Amino acid sequence: MANVPGPTARALRTMEILQARPGTTAQQLAAALEVTERAARRYVGILREAGIPVESVRGPYGGYRLGRGARLPPVVFTEEQALALVMAVLDGRPAAGDGDDPVGAALGKVIRALPEGIGRQAAALRAYAAVAPGPSAARTDPATASALVAAVADRRRVVLAYRGPDGGAFDDEVDPWAVVVRHGRWYLLCHSHRAAAVRTYRVDRVREVRRTARRCAPPDGLDPVAALEEHLGSGWRYPTRVRFDAPADRVAPWIRPPMGRLEPDGDRCVLTGSTRNPAMYAQEWLAAVPFGFTVEEGPELRAAVAAVAARFGAATVPAAASG
């Protein structure tokens, strides 16, 4: 599309707006199209002339809406939207640059459906952009993710065949509450009947999903993202408690939710949580916080911090002295 859409593009955009927001008034439609109300009504007329049923309802709750039998409009992207879409796909899935990848094949179809000029730029971006996969990237099977999302939507209990981080395999009957995508990884937030507790399972480690006939429901008022973040920072094997020599508002930007709960304590603050990997907690998370701190709880974390401190201290010893 050009920078100034023509009548056809605006008519298609009108159909998209009415499809997404039934009951849109002429004033709202005009604002969305950046035209006058008279012009907005003219685009509604163009749709009707093309045989697309557009109903109008009078009154305070009235407006335009598509009638029965209306088809979705063809997908129309601006240049900025098309390139942003390709960038987002490559950023989230570097393998999409390969046409043999399922997502890559789908992206190719979208690019081929674009107008020639925009499609040429999108294809060039896909072909020549070099994307390095993240160090923690994990490939999630689309069929597995789809089965879990369907179970969440249908509120059906499922049995998971799961492979833990240590390679051990087990089955768990769970009530699926939500599927959450966090930093490129897919998680299932659920209630585990095996553990009788809330659990988060990595979807890329789910080997099989078996639906059951039993119904389930998430807790009232559940915030899936907040619940996932809170759970990732609690319930692990090794307890942690760290006191920082700075107020909470200065330390907070450096604290990830899985590190635990940060609470103010006078002119300092305390971080309380747990971890399954004290060495990672010390050298990847605590070492990045630019404030002094004291490990008050967790002998495993205290030992891990001491090991990091010794390694860094040894790095400052002159070569002659170390010899």
Side-chain angles (χ1 to χ4, degrees):
M1 291 175 56
N3 290 333
V4 180
T8 302
R10 281 202 169 112
L12 292 173
R13 176 59 180 151
T14 298
M15 187 172 176
E16 290 179 346
I17 293 171
L18 299 184
Q19 179 75 29
R21 301 194 295 272
T24 299
T25 65
Q27 182 180 12
Q28 293 168 337
L29 185 59
L33 296 173
E34 298 181 347
V35 297
T36 64
E37 289 188 35
R38 181 178 179 182
R41 294 190 181 94
R42 185 166 64 248
Y43 295 127
V44 171
I46 291 175
L47 293 179
R48 287 170 171 164
E49 290 176 3
I52 298 172
V54 179
E55 302 173 350
S56 57
V57 180
R58 297 182 179 278
Y61 301 103
Y64 293 113
R65 66 186 69 243
L66 295 182
R68 292 183 179 274
R71 294 183 177 181
L72 288 172
V75 178
V76 180
F77 294 109
T78 65
E79 176 181 325
E80 181 182 10
Q81 291 171 339
L83 297 181
L85 176 62
V86 175
M87 292 173 64
V89 172
L90 292 178
D91 183 52
R93 189 183 181 96
D98 183 355
D100 294 332
D101 179 79
V103 176
L107 180 62
K109 292 180 180 180
V110 173
I111 291 175
R112 288 191 294 273
L114 294 172
E116 182 180 356
I118 298 175
R120 188 184 308 114
Q121 294 185 59
L125 175 61
R126 178 196 184 189
Y128 295 107
V131 184
S136 60
R139 181 167 181 172
T140 299
D141 177 46
T144 301
S146 178
L148 292 173
V149 170
V152 171
D154 295 342
R155 298 192 170 188
R156 293 285 184 180
R157 186 179 298 183
V158 297
V159 176
L160 306 179
Y162 194 76
R163 175 181 53 81
D166 57 355
F170 60 89
D171 287 358
D172 192 2
E173 186 172 355
V174 305
D175 294 343
W177 291 347
V179 173
V180 183
V181 183
R182 180 182 181 276
H183 299 326
R185 287 184 174 175
W186 292 62
Y187 293 89
L188 173 68
L189 178 67
C190 62
H191 174 80
S192 164
H193 292 274
R194 178 174 181 264
V198 178
R199 286 289 182 267
T200 54
Y201 286 129
R202 287 257 301 270
V203 178
D204 60 287
R205 292 176 179 163
V206 176
R207 308 268 66 84
E208 184 183 4
V209 180
R210 301 191 298 273
R211 288 172 65 111
T212 74
R214 297 189 176 185
R215 307 284 295 181
C216 63
D220 293 337
L222 175 69
D223 182 336
V225 175
L228 176 74
E229 296 281 15
E230 181 178 355
H231 184 72
L232 289 177
S234 62
W236 299 105
R237 178 177 179 182
Y238 304 108
T240 61
R241 180 180 172 87
V242 181
R243 184 178 300 274
F244 291 96
D245 301 329
D249 60 341
R250 295 184 61 193
V251 176
W254 300 90
I255 302 301
R256 306 179 182 185
M259 295 173 69
R261 184 185 301 276
L262 185 69
E263 297 180 335
D265 184 21
D267 57 355
R268 299 197 294 175
C269 57
V270 176
L271 177 65
T272 306
S274 62
T275 181
R276 67 177 179 86
N277 191 336
M280 180 277 298
Y281 195 105
Q283 63 190 13
E284 294 186 19
W285 290 351
L286 286 181
V289 181
F291 301 102
F293 63 86
T294 302
V295 179
E296 296 186 340
E297 185 178 345
E300 297 82 6
L301 180 59
R302 192 176 292 114
V305 169
V308 173
R311 180 161 59 87
F312 276 44
T316 64
V317 178
S322 63

